[in-house]
Amino acid sequence: MTAETDELARAWRRDGAARRPAASTAPTPDVSRRSRLGGRLRRHGARGAEVAAEQLGNVTLRLQTRLKERAAAQRRLSAIVWARRAGYVLIAAVLAWVVLASPVLALDPEQVEVTGFGTVVEPADVAEVVAAHEGQSLATLPSSRLADELREVPGVRDATVERVWPRGLVIELVSREPVAAVPADGGFDLLDSEATRVGHVAEEPDLLPVVTVPVGKGNERILEAALGVVNQLPVKLRNRVEDISATSENTVTFVLRNGPVVDWGSAEDSALKARVLQVLLKSDEAADVTEIDVSAPTLPTTKSA
């Protein structure tokens, strides 16, 4: 190619470039719309974030308020629970004081009623036992132990104790009534039905039979046999017995006041022997009888003067 040709080519390119419109720097409509949309989105996003933050703040504030209210309610509930517990403790303490230490339930000896002294139990001895518990709460007073203490009183066979609220007692004694007397120490020991000594008198008692039996170790059963006979007699017949003697368990004999001598034998069949004796004493022949033998109750015998 020649220089002339090169020249023409360059001129043509310049001419073509001159004919092409210059590139515009202004944005195209699509780009402009996208830009405005992006701006609106950014503004809406920022506004939404602000709204979300505000809403989150409100939720957090409400949550904090609810938590505070719940904590306050829990404190009030705890205070009520502890107040109730304190009230229960106070009530329990008051009740314990009333039951254990106050004079409301304290035993007053003036409000103690005692029955069953009989003929040998000294009221002063019983009063002394009761007085030892004066002022003790009736709720904690061991009635069984008090009854045991009363059984140690001379002449008391048994005792029952019943509380009478708020400050009294009812005491029922079973006395050891003497059924016979035995010579001892220049006088007479009074014995109950169990051969327990319940008293001592200087002179022979008028209404009790005097028992004469061998004394000493090994002879206890003879005394028990004689007292067993007395216990089996009806009251009216028992009151007529004046003297009882025995040399063995099978040779019990007693004398009736204004009546004959009775050979009783052993303590066996005593109920039958008592009925037979009563029939014989009521018979016409009894006036002249000096001795009645009921040791064999089905074949009784009598002797006259």
Side-chain angles (χ1 to χ4, degrees), residues 9-148:
R10 283 195 297 270
W12 181 81
R13 285 195 295 271
R14 284 195 299 270
D15 184 64
R19 286 196 301 269
R20 287 196 300 270
S24 177
T25 58
T28 62
D30 291 338
V31 173
S32 177
R33 282 196 298 272
R34 285 196 299 272
S35 177
R36 287 195 298 272
L37 180 59
R40 285 197 297 271
L41 291 176
R42 284 192 296 273
R43 287 194 296 273
H44 285 301
R47 191 177 302 112
E50 293 176 357
V51 171
E54 182 179 358
Q55 292 177 349
L56 180 60
N58 293 336
V59 170
T60 303
L61 182 60
R62 288 196 300 272
L63 180 60
Q64 291 175 349
T65 302
R66 290 290 301 276
L67 291 176
K68 291 180 180 179
E69 291 176 351
R70 182 175 297 179
Q74 186 65 36
R75 287 193 296 271
R76 288 193 298 271
L77 181 60
S78 298
I80 293 173
V81 170
W82 283 106
R84 288 179 179 174
R85 291 177 180 176
Y88 296 151
V89 171
L90 179 60
I91 292 172
V94 171
L95 290 176
W97 177 79
V98 170
V99 170
L100 300 176
S102 78
V104 176
L105 300 179
L107 176 63
D108 181 6
E110 297 295 329
Q111 300 184 31
V112 177
E113 179 184 351
V114 185
T115 59
F117 287 106
T119 61
V120 296
V121 180
E122 290 293 337
D125 294 339
V126 176
E128 183 179 356
V129 174
V130 174
H133 297 275
E134 180 178 2
Q136 185 174 354
S137 173
L138 212 64
T140 59
L141 179 66
S143 57
S144 59
R145 190 178 74 184
L146 178 57
D148 290 338

Side-chain angles (χ1 to χ4, degrees), residues 31-292:
V31 173
S32 177
R33 282 196 298 272
R34 285 196 299 272
S35 177
R36 287 195 298 272
L37 180 59
R40 285 197 297 271
L41 291 176
R42 284 192 296 273
R43 287 194 296 273
H44 285 301
R47 191 177 302 112
E50 293 176 357
V51 171
E54 182 179 358
Q55 292 177 349
L56 180 60
N58 293 336
V59 170
T60 303
L61 182 60
R62 288 196 300 272
L63 180 60
Q64 291 175 349
T65 302
R66 290 290 301 276
L67 291 176
K68 291 180 180 179
E69 291 176 351
R70 182 175 297 179
Q74 186 65 36
R75 287 193 296 271
R76 288 193 298 271
L77 181 60
S78 298
I80 293 173
V81 170
W82 283 106
R84 288 179 179 174
R85 291 177 180 176
Y88 296 151
V89 171
L90 179 60
I91 292 172
V94 171
L95 290 176
W97 177 79
V98 170
V99 170
L100 300 176
S102 78
V104 176
L105 300 179
L107 176 63
D108 181 6
E110 297 295 329
Q111 300 184 31
V112 177
E113 179 184 351
V114 185
T115 59
F117 287 106
T119 61
V120 296
V121 180
E122 290 293 337
D125 294 339
V126 176
E128 183 179 356
V129 174
V130 174
H133 297 275
E134 180 178 2
Q136 185 174 354
S137 173
L138 212 64
T140 59
L141 179 66
S143 57
S144 59
R145 190 178 74 184
L146 178 57
D148 290 338
E149 294 174 2
L150 291 170
R151 294 184 186 102
E152 298 298 324
V153 174
V156 176
R157 174 184 295 176
D158 197 8
T160 57
V161 179
E162 181 181 352
R163 296 179 178 88
V164 179
W165 303 99
R167 304 183 63 190
L169 294 173
V170 170
I171 298 175
E172 184 177 353
L173 304 176
V174 178
S175 65
R176 292 186 176 275
E177 290 300 304
V179 297
V182 295
D185 300 329
F188 296 87
D189 284 341
L190 305 181
L191 306 180
D192 71 349
S193 60
E194 297 177 350
T196 300
R197 184 180 181 273
V198 296
H200 182 83
V201 294
E203 298 180 358
E204 181 178 339
D206 293 334
L207 300 178
L208 293 179
V210 176
V211 179
T212 304
V213 296
V215 295
K217 188 175 181 180
N219 294 317
E220 295 85 356
R221 294 180 66 86
I222 301 176
L223 178 59
E224 291 176 1
L227 294 178
V229 170
V230 174
N231 291 333
Q232 292 291 334
L233 294 177
V235 176
K236 290 183 178 181
L237 188 58
R238 184 191 310 165
N239 291 336
R240 292 183 58 184
V241 176
E242 186 173 7
D243 295 305
I244 301 177
S245 62
T247 57
S248 68
E249 298 177 46
N250 300 320
T251 59
V252 178
T253 301
F254 56 82
V255 179
L256 297 178
R257 289 183 177 88
N258 302 320
V261 174
V262 178
D263 294 327
W264 195 267
S266 69
E268 295 181 1
D269 298 323
S270 288
L272 177 59
K273 293 176 182 179
R275 290 196 297 270
V276 172
L277 178 60
Q278 286 178 305
V279 170
L280 293 174
L281 290 174
K282 292 178 181 179
S283 65
D284 296 335
E285 294 81 5
D288 299 328
V289 170
T290 58
E291 183 177 347
I292 298 176

